[in-house]
């Protein structure tokens, strides 16, 4: 799709919103007796909105989306060039709708008593979305479907990213597996589940994406290039990119409250755009940049920041990258600062120091703030020992008005391969935030002026634990 055509489509879409055009009939179900399907009028709730986004419901004028709004069956979620939306569904599924996208909720029947009897169908008409399966899709994989203009996607897993237009559909798996197939007499749009004929299964363990082009009989697999100077595989996001400037501005999404994710869908500020292979129509690859310092950051550089991580133990020794030894430099860190957050994990004890201010609350004029990852360090702890990890990319969005945050990180090491961390939760009055589940933890804070942030994160993986520290600057 060239830039002129894309701009025309967006103008048509905005005109449709302005005229308040309705879409399809809203399917309002009735809660049934125990053991039967339940399709309610409202099946999800908006958990985060950035920029301009709308919901278009049957018989109603388009409404500007806000956090806390309910989403129903047959609703269309429409994002403009700066819009980004997260929707949490009744079965704890998460869908992230990125800029310049349209997503329709075709069906959402969740049976809490017998989730294997549930059915879910989404329709990505245009743009990019990420879907993290909830109880319905996990329990009834043969009854989950994401339709696109030219291909159907079924799941054998939990986390994937899709980019769709009328000319091509591309997908990347972060966790689990998907099956993509072009529509045919054996793969109908009205059906549910994966299509068995002409389908290609893609799993998280490959350095590949899958694509269906317009009028193609079967999908093709796209090899994602490796960094020749790296000994480990850096997984990257394959996305439909029509305007590199717009995509450079696209903010990373992905939040999750109770589900521990693996994330490979990189986004933002320090990514470079390169075209795969020599095919001018090939996918654009977002190549991650490792923000883990190669050497420990000098104390004077860390002390120049408002937020400083101090360490009370030297368990990791010279592997520490963005912390100040409190035993050696406690005076420098504590002067004019107070210990705001403290964490103990895997034998390491860290404290985040914040300047002492006249007020204990962040600036009341702050609204939604996007942060870029300044530096980070992460380690994989297992029975075999401790291994340093790369932190390749990250995003952090804090809504000071709605009192919420959403963040994700992309990590890598030879010991673990590509991993991800993602979390959402509440922002407290003092500017601190946290979220704790059975499998992961995050604790962090912002500066009073909202220009910096930092957090500790920890995540359980199959054979050990990943933990790390981050420092962020406002974008």
């Amino acid at each position: 799709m060239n830039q002129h055509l894309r701009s025309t489509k967006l103008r048509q879409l905005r005109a449709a919103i302005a005229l308040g055009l309705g879409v399809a009939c809203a399917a309002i179900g009735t809660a049934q007796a125990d053991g039967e399907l339940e399709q309610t009028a409202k099946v999800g709730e908006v958990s985060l909105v950035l920029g301009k986004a709308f919901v278009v419901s049957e018989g109603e004028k388009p409404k500007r989306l806000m956090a806390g709004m309910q989403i129903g069956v047959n609703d269309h979620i429409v994002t403009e060039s700066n819009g980004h939306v997260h929707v949490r569904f009744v079965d704890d599924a998460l869908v992230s709708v990125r800029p310049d996208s349209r997503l329709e909720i075709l069906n959402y029947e969740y049976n809490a008593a017998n989730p294997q009897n549930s059915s879910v169908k989404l329709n990505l008409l245009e743009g990019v979305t990420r879907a993290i399966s909830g109880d319905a899709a996990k329990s009834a994989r043969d009854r989950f479907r994401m339709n696109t203009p030219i291909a159907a996607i079924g799941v054998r897993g939990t986390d994937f990213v899709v980019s769709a237009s009328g000319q091509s559909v591309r997908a990347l798996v972060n966790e689990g597996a998907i099956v993509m197939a072009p529509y045919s007499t054996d793969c109908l749009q009205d059906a549910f589940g994966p299509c068995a004929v002409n389908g290609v299964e893609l799993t998280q363990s490959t350095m590949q994406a899958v694509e269906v082009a317009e009028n193609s009989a079967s999908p093709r697999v796209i090899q994602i290039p490796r960094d020749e100077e790296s000994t480990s595989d850096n997984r990257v996001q394959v996305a439909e990119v029509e305007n590199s400037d717009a995509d450079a501005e696209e903010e990373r999404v992905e939040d999750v409250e109770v589900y521990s994710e693996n994330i490979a869908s990189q986004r933002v500020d320090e990514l470079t755009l390169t075209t795969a292979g020599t095919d001018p129509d090939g996918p654009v690859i977002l190549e991650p940049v490792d923000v883990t310092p190669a050497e420990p950051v000098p104390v004077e550089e860390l002390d120049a920041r408002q937020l400083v991580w101090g360490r009370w133990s030297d368990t990791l020794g010279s592997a520490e990258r963005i912390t100040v030894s409190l035993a050696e430099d406690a005076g420098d860190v504590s002067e004019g600062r107070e210990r705001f957050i403290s964490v103990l994990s895997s034998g390491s004890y860290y404290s985040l120091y914040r300047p002492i201010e006249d007020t204990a609350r962040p600036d009341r004029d702050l609204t939604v703030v996007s942060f870029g990852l300044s530096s980070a360090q992460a380690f994989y702890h297992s029975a075999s020992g401790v291994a340093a990890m790369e932190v390749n990319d990250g995003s952090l969005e804090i809504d000071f008005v709605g009192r919420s945050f959403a963040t994700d990180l992309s990590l890598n090491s030879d010991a673990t391969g590509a991993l991800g961390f993602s979390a959402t939760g509440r922002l407290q009055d003092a500017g601190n935030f946290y979220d704790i589940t059975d499998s992961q933890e995050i604790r962090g804070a912002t500066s009073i002026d909202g220009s910096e942030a930092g957090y500790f994160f920890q995540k359980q993986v199959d054979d050990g634990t990943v933990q790390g520290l981050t420092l962020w600057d406002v974008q």
Side-chain angles (χ1 to χ4, degrees), residues 23-43:
V23 294
C25 294
I28 301 179
T30 302
Q32 304 293 322
D34 183 33
E36 296 181 5
L37 288 174
E38 177 182 340
Q39 179 158 303
T40 59
K42 300 302 179 182
V43 297

Side-chain angles (χ1 to χ4, degrees), residues 123-126 147-151 164-169 183 189:
N123 185 21
L124 179 61
L125 295 128
E126 182 181 31
N147 281 343
T148 69
I150 59 176
S165 71
Q167 288 68 48
S168 69
V169 176
Y183 296 128
Q189 285 182 297

Side-chain angles (χ1 to χ4, degrees), residues 50-72:
L50 301 174
K52 287 187 177 181
F54 302 85
V55 60
V56 186
S57 304
E58 200 279 328
E60 300 180 13
K61 293 182 179 180
K63 296 178 182 178
R64 182 79 176 264
L65 277 174
M66 299 178 63
M69 290 182 64
Q70 300 296 303
I71 298 297

Side-chain angles (χ1 to χ4, degrees), residues 105-125:
I105 316 301
L106 291 174
N107 178 278
Y108 220 100
E109 298 178 333
Y110 174 53
N111 187 328
N114 296 298
Q116 68 275 11
N117 294 333
S118 303
S119 61
V120 174
K121 183 183 287 187
L122 308 176
N123 185 21
L124 179 61
L125 295 128

Side-chain angles (χ1 to χ4, degrees), residues 155-285:
V155 301
R156 303 193 196 284
T158 56
D159 187 348
F160 62 99
V161 178
V162 182
S163 169
S165 71
Q167 288 68 48
S168 69
V169 176
R170 300 186 182 117
L172 174 71
V173 177
N174 298 325
E175 183 173 296
I178 62 170
V179 177
M180 181 188 288
Y183 296 128
S184 67
T185 55
D186 298 302
C187 183
L188 302 176
Q189 285 182 297
D190 294 338
F192 283 85
C195 293
V197 178
N198 293 329
V200 168
E201 180 171 324
L202 185 71
T203 67
Q204 71 185 66
S205 60
T206 63
M207 286 290 295
Q208 297 171 330
V210 64
E211 178 189 50
V212 172
E214 187 178 18
N215 299 322
S216 63
S218 61
R220 70 179 181 124
V221 174
I222 304 169
Q223 188 69 31
I224 300 175
R226 297 170 182 256
D227 181 353
E228 295 180 357
E229 297 180 357
S230 173
T231 59
S232 59
D233 295 342
N234 295 321
R235 300 198 60 196
V236 294
Q237 175 186 351
V238 178
E240 187 77 36
V241 176
E242 306 295 345
N243 184 333
S244 61
D245 291 336
D247 274 34
E249 294 297 323
E250 180 184 334
E251 299 171 275
R252 291 196 69 180
V253 181
E254 306 355 323
D255 69 336
V256 114
E257 293 172 271
V258 296
Y259 176 67
S260 176
E261 310 179 31
N262 279 339
I263 303 166
S265 53
Q266 272 76 323
R267 235 181 336 272
V268 280
D269 56 337
E270 296 187 30
L271 300 181
T272 55
L273 302 176
T274 60
T275 303
T278 58
D279 181 4
D281 297 322
V284 174
I285 307 299

Side-chain angles (χ1 to χ4, degrees), residues 88-94 108 110 115 120 131-140 144 155 157-158 259:
R88 173 76 59 185
F89 287 90
V90 291
D91 65 329
D92 213 29
L94 173 70
Y108 220 100
Y110 174 53
V120 174
I132 301 173
S133 300
D135 195 26
K138 294 176 186 177
S139 302
F144 175 91
V155 301
T158 56
Y259 176 67

Side-chain angles (χ1 to χ4, degrees), residues 317-400:
S318 60
E320 294 280 356
R321 289 293 183 264
I322 63 169
T323 64
V324 175
S325 172
L326 295 172
E328 300 173 2
D329 303 286
D332 295 337
V333 172
S334 60
E335 184 176 355
R337 296 188 181 93
E338 60 182 339
R339 190 191 312 176
F340 196 61
I341 294 173
S342 294
V343 292
L344 175 64
S345 180
S346 301
S348 296
Y349 182 28
Y350 301 105
S351 292
L352 183 63
Y353 281 79
R354 188 172 79 172
I356 300 172
E357 303 281 357
D358 294 336
T359 175
R361 301 181 61 176
D363 190 333
R364 293 180 181 273
D365 293 332
L366 294 169
T367 55
V368 178
V369 179
S370 298
F371 293 88
L373 188 55
S374 173
S375 59
Q377 66 178 48
F379 301 93
Y380 171 59
H381 297 260
S382 68
S384 301
V386 180
M389 303 188 73
E390 296 177 356
V391 183
N392 291 321
D393 187 27
S395 73
L396 174 62
E397 310 286 351
I398 296 183
D399 184 349
F400 286 89

